[in-house]
Structures are given as structure tokens and as C-alpha cells.
Amino acid sequence: MSNKRELGQYFTQENPFTHPLFKEWMGNIGNITTVIEPFAGANNILKLIKESGYDLAWACFDIAPPKENVYSKFTVEQRDTLSDFPKGYDVCITNCPYLGKSSARRRKIDYPWEEDDLYKVSLRVMLENCKYVAVIIPEIFITANIHIDRLWGVISLNCKMFDDTECPVCLAMFTPEGQNNIPIWNNDDFLGFLNELQSLDITGKTSDVHWVFNDKDGSIGVKTVDSGQKADCEFFEGEKIPSENIKVSSRSFTRVSGLPNNIDRKDFLKECNIILADYREKTKDVLMTSFKGLRKDGKYRRRLDFKTVKSILNIAVKRFGRTDKDGFCGELFE
């Protein structure tokens, strides 16, 4: 396990390559000679691709190949593909390593790259060397706003993809020129196109109110992470969270101060929850960061970040003292 943490290795168990969107992506490539697997591990990706109906030739590499090779037809060559990526391959299909820079530093693991996560380093290197890339990466990529010019489609994989981690992941597919309307799927459910979903983003909505987060005496309480039961982030009375439970580092829940005296708190909290529910419904949760573990409904738990919380508070304030000059428009804010 320590080796996996240091190298960011997690080995694929489920099979996302039977999805119609992946098959469509494969159909756009044309004649495929050899596919590169730059982070091959035990060759699980090859096995899954074969089970999905594709009989491909592979070139497989890994910085530390495991003893077991589940698809022994193709050997795994030892190679640090991040610093020495093999040349001459147009198509890359893989499950790349994940390791956050802060996590690496906390564990005293050497991390020489500028990007804040190893998956971003891996993705950059693959796109620099390959025309077509299909890669399993953390689902937070959907909101990272990187490599959009090459992005062709994304499938959020709401299932336990790995035996040894609950990291929420997606299958992202890239082509030389990407496409304007990038489809986003949640398993078998089509959620919409990325640009349309992003247009519903509410972050950045402002007001004259000065909100203070993680205030032990804050009158507004916020549960910012879904439980394992359902989508239950919510706003409620601040005193329901004991003051001693609030710390500067609190992120799963918070108490917020700043509510103007002329606004009834009960009505205000109700309005905040209406805005939150409307936001989650319209965006299909795509713009909320996924959190480890699945809910009982089979979907990823989601985190409500403080930036979004602040925007919801600002929208609610505007609704209680709204004038034309407030500048809020659109179906979500009506």
C-alpha cells in the first residue's frame, strides 16, 4: 500500500469500456495499429478492453510493474513514462496515477511537478504525445477546466472502480480537436453538455453582506458534505452545531455569521435550501465536487464548497430585498 501511495497507483476493477460513448469515441479513431498503456500496472485495462469486444495490439509500460500480469499476452516494460514517455503512439488508453501535491508533502513523498495533482501531470504528458486519449481520472476533473480544447466526452463512473480506494472517478476521452458540445454522462444517464451545465454556475454572485465562515457563534449552519444515505447538504440553525465543534479548518460543516438583522432567519434558511435544491437539480450535481464513497442511491456523495455556499447566501439576500439593479437574471434565480 505504501508503494501505491508513493506512485499514485490504483488498479482498475470495474469495466467502463462497454459504455456507448466510449464505443463512439473508438469509432472515430479509424484504423488502430498499437495502443499505448503508459501506466499499465497489472494490465487490467487490457483485460477490460478485450472483454468489451476489442482485440488490440498494445505497448505496455509501468514505473513499477506488479508481479501479476492479468493479460500476459503483452508484457509490461519497466519505464518512468512521466519523464520518458514512449514516442510514436497515436492512441492511449489507461488509468493514470493520482496523488495530490499536498498529500505527497504530508507523507514526505518527493513531488517535483508544478501541477497540484499527479493525474494532471499524467494527462498533460499523454496529450502532448498522443492524438487520442481515454483515461480514468478523478471526477473532479469535470470542474478543473483544463484541456477543454481536446476534450471529447466524459462519463462519471458512479461505481466502486477500485478495491483499495473510494476515489470518485470518470472516464475522460480526448481527440485532436475535441468538440464544441462535450457530452457528460453519469453511468447510463445523459446529463447534458458541459458548456450548458457550466452556464448554470452560480459562484461569484455577490452582495454587500460580509459573511464570516467557521464562526463559532454563527447563526447559520451548513452541512457541506452529503451523507452515505442521500443528497442532504443543507442550511439550518447555527446552534444545531455545538460551538466547540467549529474549527478554522472545518470543511464538512460550518457556522456562518453576517445575516442582516432585518431578515427573518427561518424564512432565509428555507430560501437557501430552495436555491440549493434548484441548483443541484438543474446542474445534475456536475459542478459540485465529488466526495469519496457512494450514496445509497448509487451516486457519488457531493461537497458544497464555501464559495458556492457564499453565492447561495448572496442570492437569498437579494431575494429578500430585491430591486432591478441587483442584476440577477435567469431561470435559476427567478
Side-chain angles (χ1 to χ4, degrees), residues 32-217:
I32 300 175
T33 52
T34 302
V35 180
I36 185 173
E37 217 305 15
F39 312 103
N43 266 350
N44 281 298
I45 290 288
L46 280 65
K47 183 173 180 287
L48 296 176
I49 292 290
K50 175 67 173 178
E51 291 173 352
S52 302
Y54 300 99
D55 190 11
L56 303 173
W58 293 85
C60 306
F61 305 88
D62 199 282
I63 190 172
K67 294 180 180 179
E68 180 186 9
N69 184 343
V70 300
Y71 200 72
S72 57
K73 180 179 178 180
F74 298 98
T75 59
V76 180
E77 178 182 333
Q78 192 285 323
R79 186 163 180 162
D80 181 355
T81 50
L82 287 180
S83 61
D84 184 20
F85 198 92
K87 307 299 182 182
Y89 300 98
D90 286 340
V91 184
C92 174
I93 304 176
T94 189
N95 163 42
C96 74
Y98 328 135
L99 179 66
K101 179 186 290 188
S102 59
S103 179
R105 288 176 175 172
R106 188 168 58 251
R107 296 168 179 163
K108 301 187 184 307
I109 298 172
D110 183 44
Y111 192 98
W113 302 281
E114 292 184 4
E115 291 93 338
D116 62 4
D117 196 290
L118 192 57
Y119 93 82
K120 294 181 180 179
V121 182
S122 308
L123 186 54
R124 170 176 55 78
V125 171
M126 288 186 288
L127 291 173
E128 286 173 350
N129 289 277
C130 302
K131 294 180 180 179
Y132 298 90
V133 174
V135 56
I136 297 172
I137 48 180
E139 203 226 24
I140 195 173
F141 162 79
I142 296 176
T143 59
N145 200 33
I146 58 174
H147 305 297
I148 300 298
D149 59 323
R150 296 278 303 275
L151 185 60
W152 186 87
V154 181
I155 307 166
S156 176
L157 304 174
N158 280 225
C159 57
K160 185 173 172 53
M161 281 297 304
F162 309 103
D163 283 344
D164 42 13
T165 178
E166 293 185 297
C167 176
V169 293
C170 64
L171 176 62
M173 289 152 284
F174 301 84
T175 58
E177 297 180 353
Q179 59 179 333
N180 293 329
N181 293 319
I182 302 167
I184 307 295
W185 288 72
N186 182 336
N187 287 353
D188 295 330
D189 296 327
F190 175 64
L191 303 183
F193 296 106
L194 182 60
N195 60 339
E196 295 173 353
L197 294 168
Q198 287 177 332
S199 70
L200 299 172
D201 187 11
I202 62 175
T203 56
K205 300 301 180 182
T206 61
S207 72
D208 294 332
V209 178
H210 177 62
W211 304 106
V212 179
F213 285 74
N214 289 335
D215 183 340
K216 294 178 181 294
D217 298 317

Side-chain angles (χ1 to χ4, degrees), residues 212-232:
V212 179
F213 285 74
N214 289 335
D215 183 340
K216 294 178 181 294
D217 298 317
S219 63
I220 298 172
V222 192
K223 182 178 184 293
T224 59
V225 177
D226 287 337
S227 69
Q229 303 298 314
K230 57 184 178 179
D232 53 8

